[in-house]
Amino acid sequence: MTYTSMRIDREGGLARLIFIQPARGNPIDGTFCAEFCDVANELSSDPSVRAVLITAEGKAFSYGGDISMFVTQLDTLPLQIRRWTADLHVGIARMQRMDAPIVAAVQGICAGGMAGMIAGADIIVTEPGTRFVAAYAGIGYCCDASSSIMLSRRMGLSRARKYLLLNETLDAQTALAAGLADEIVPADELAVRAEAIARQLAEGPTQAYGEIRRLLASAATTPLDAQLELEAQALARAAGTADAREGLTAFAAKRKAVFTGK
């Protein structure tokens, strides 16, 4: 499919999802929400996708919601928001459930809903100039785009609450300390480092990664006995994969495993 606010570049098992409206600050608008849902369906239904790398063109990763558009539709915004989030939230949920891990390379400003969305990435790499901006309370809004759950998972509930209520802007070091970023690298190394992580994941045991992602997603809200059973069932499924057989065989032979994602 062809998109206007983003594109997918594929190379082997690695899918690069690139936001391509730098002149507008890569905003979240109706088109973005619809396209993100379509992209999520495309990626999550393709078993050849073994890792996703999210990047954005331009100085800013994203300014979040398109305020300039919002102010022209004040009377219809409640209805529009229901429509936009119907697409966006389905897309986010499907990306979270897929096997392929997600890596994000974030530069410049990452604000509002985009900060919440990106918090759902498994690995976030930033550069020293990155700023994560809560944004919502500053315009009288509460949060969407999975911000309440993804920020809480990464930062803890109390830190996420402070970030959102006080409309904070976190620099890269503060974001790293809070758990909102995983690595900070020099700006000219950002793309290379994020690509290296994504490629490493794309060569890994994809189905095992998927089980790990889903187990971690349920860990905070599932009772102990139920979570232990989820772990047992997931491990049994993983043990039946070709990658698990290869991993054990390679370990016994003292060689590097060659995983195929199957």
Side-chain angles (χ1 to χ4, degrees):
M1 295 181 65
T2 301
Y3 306 102
T4 60
S5 60
M6 61 192 77
R7 75 171 186 269
I8 300 173
D9 292 343
R10 295 171 181 264
E11 184 178 349
L14 176 60
R16 302 180 187 88
L17 175 57
I18 307 162
F19 302 143
I20 57 171
Q21 292 191 316
R24 299 180 59 211
N26 298 309
I28 299 175
D29 56 15
T31 299
F32 179 97
C33 292
E35 291 187 349
F36 190 82
C37 185
D38 288 339
V39 162
N41 285 330
E42 180 178 341
L43 295 177
S44 64
S45 63
D46 185 350
S48 71
V49 175
R50 298 175 62 191
V52 177
L53 173 60
I54 301 179
T55 64
E57 296 179 349
K59 294 182 178 180
F61 189 88
S62 173
Y63 291 127
D66 188 355
I67 304 300
S68 62
M69 182 188 67
F70 292 173
V71 297
T72 68
Q73 304 182 32
L74 294 176
D75 292 336
T76 61
L77 267 180
L79 177 58
Q80 295 282 44
I81 286 171
R82 287 185 173 89
R83 290 171 174 163
W84 298 334
T85 53
D87 287 329
L88 182 63
H89 289 181
V90 167
I92 291 170
R94 288 182 180 164
M95 292 279 277
Q96 288 298 313
R97 292 191 184 105
M98 66 184 180
D99 289 338
I102 301 170
V103 179
V106 183
Q107 81 283 358
I109 299 296
C110 184
M114 191 62 79
M117 280 180 56
I118 290 303
D122 298 286
I123 306 290
I124 300 174
V125 186
T126 64
E127 47 89 15
T130 301
R131 299 291 183 271
F132 292 92
V133 185
Y136 289 107
I139 58 171
Y141 273 53
C142 58
C143 53
D144 68 338
S146 76
S147 297
S148 61
I149 188 165
M150 298 305 177
L151 292 172
S152 296
R153 283 178 181 173
R154 273 197 163 268
M155 304 165 71
L157 182 60
S158 61
R159 187 66 186 89
R161 180 188 293 117
K162 181 173 180 283
Y163 172 71
L164 290 168
L165 290 180
L166 296 184
N167 190 24
E168 291 184 330
T169 295
L170 306 185
D171 61 26
Q173 286 292 344
T174 305
L176 181 67
L180 186 51
D182 297 299
E183 290 188 21
I184 303 172
V185 298
D188 59 356
E189 298 176 14
L190 178 62
V192 173
R193 176 56 181 156
E195 176 97 5
I197 295 172
R199 284 183 177 278
Q200 177 183 337
L201 292 169
E203 295 174 357
T206 311
Q207 292 184 53
Y209 288 155
E211 300 290 4
I212 291 169
R213 297 182 82 230
R214 289 183 287 274
L215 285 170
L216 291 175
S218 65
T221 57
T222 304
L224 175 62
D225 289 349
Q227 184 70 12
L228 290 175
E229 180 60 17
L230 290 176
E231 288 186 356
Q233 295 292 343
L235 186 60
R237 287 191 296 270
T241 65
D243 279 345
R245 184 180 294 267
E246 164 65 8
L248 289 175
T249 303
F251 184 86
K254 298 182 179 180
R255 63 173 175 82
K256 183 179 179 180
V258 179
F259 297 118
T260 61
K262 297 178 182 179

